[in-house]
Amino acid sequence: GQNIDQPTEMTATEGAIVQINCTYQTSGFNGLFWYQQHAGEAPTFLSYNVLDGLEEKGRFSSFLSRSKGYSYLLLKELQMKDSASYLCASEGFQKLVFGTGTRLLVSP
Amino acid sequence: DAGVTQSPTHLIKTRGQQVTLRCSPKSGHDTVSWYQQALGQGPQFIFQYYEEEERQRGNFPDRFSGHQFPNYSSELNVNALLLGDSALYLCASSWGGSFLNEQFFGPGTRLTVL
């Protein structure tokens, strides 16, 4: 089976750093993905991890520990436009399962 | 280069009716995946089409069916609509039949079942 857990909501201030955690239980695990979704819009791809470790992409980094079934998305130098839902998704046996998303609110 | 396009944008149907949603993938993409997203939830995987065949399917009943055409565009059909089918239906395209190749999502079709 497949199960993904992530916090429902987080708040942070502009310029700060925030870490969004995600735990998963996925049969046939093949990779972990992060998407950003602004209200009323489609999700956009941020990153994916297949192997353990940290992947860095500008202000965004994603980490994976396969043995622990754990990932996090790190957002640095937060901007107001980063207010959005962040979706964690895992792939197993060619099926992609999304979590419910973490709504991030960035305040001035 | 047009991205992923979906039609229609919005649709209102009544219980028991049938609906067809359409998706055109991003240029150069040959794989289409369909998702259902209820309000406040993450997208739920319905199925994926690659090489005109359904490759994998999520936990959706047979009322949900699809098709992929030789030009890689795709349709999602839902029969015997239920109130619970009201949701945003998202189409995503990629290439090579793999999720590890970045998926691009379309804007979605908002389906309301009355």
Side-chain angles (χ1 to χ4, degrees):
Chain A
Q2 296 181 325
N3 188 46
I4 295 184
D5 287 310
Q6 52 181 130
T8 304
E9 189 170 296
M10 299 181 71
T11 58
T13 53
E14 209 172 2
I17 300 173
V18 71
Q19 178 175 311
I20 303 174
N21 296 324
C22 169
T23 58
Y24 64 90
Q25 293 174 306
T26 302
S27 302
F29 178 79
N30 198 32
L32 193 291
F33 301 78
W34 286 95
Y35 285 82
Q36 179 192 60
Q37 186 174 28
H38 284 99
E41 297 182 12
T44 56
F45 172 84
L46 290 177
S47 69
Y48 78 83
N49 297 69
V50 177
L51 302 176
D52 286 358
L54 189 68
E55 294 283 341
E56 297 188 73
K57 258 188 175 186
R59 295 190 298 116
F60 291 28
S61 303
S62 59
F63 171 83
L64 177 67
S65 168
R66 294 175 68 117
S67 62
K68 295 181 179 177
Y70 167 71
S71 173
Y72 68 72
L73 179 69
L74 193 70
L75 293 79
K76 303 175 188 174
E77 301 169 15
L78 281 173
Q79 301 175 9
M80 297 296 290
K81 68 178 182 179
D82 297 329
S83 291
S85 282
Y86 291 85
L87 301 161
C88 171
S90 72
E91 184 200 344
F93 294 128
Q94 295 180 328
K95 296 181 186 181
L96 193 64
V97 176
F98 282 83
T100 55
T102 298
R103 194 167 74 140
L104 174 65
L105 303 173
V106 180
S107 57
Chain B
D1 172 32
V4 181
T5 60
Q6 292 186 243
S7 63
T9 306
H10 295 86
L11 204 51
I12 299 175
K13 293 284 188 178
T14 56
R15 279 180 298 174
Q17 284 190 311
Q18 178 265 342
V19 69
T20 297
L21 310 182
R22 295 177 177 82
C23 171
S24 291
K26 182 178 169 63
S27 177
H29 285 184
D30 58 7
T31 305
V32 172
S33 301
W34 286 93
Y35 299 85
Q36 179 194 67
Q37 187 173 25
L39 204 59
Q41 301 295 315
Q44 285 197 56
F45 175 71
I46 303 175
F47 41 52
Q48 181 186 79
Y49 277 86
Y50 173 63
E51 294 186 333
E52 300 181 51
E53 289 192 358
E54 182 181 300
R55 299 185 76 222
Q56 280 296 342
R57 188 179 186 91
N59 295 327
F60 281 81
D62 292 344
R63 298 187 297 110
F64 289 77
S65 63
H67 188 76
Q68 185 178 37
F69 299 93
N71 67 352
Y72 307 123
S73 67
S74 177
E75 286 183 349
L76 164 66
N77 301 292
V78 187
N79 294 323
L81 283 167
L82 304 173
L83 294 180
D85 294 333
S86 294
L88 180 68
Y89 288 84
L90 294 163
C91 157
S93 76
S94 57
W95 64 270
S98 171
F99 289 112
L100 297 185
N101 298 317
E102 182 178 342
Q103 283 193 110
F104 290 80
F105 281 84
T109 294
R110 172 74 61 187
L111 172 65
T112 301
V113 181
L114 302 176

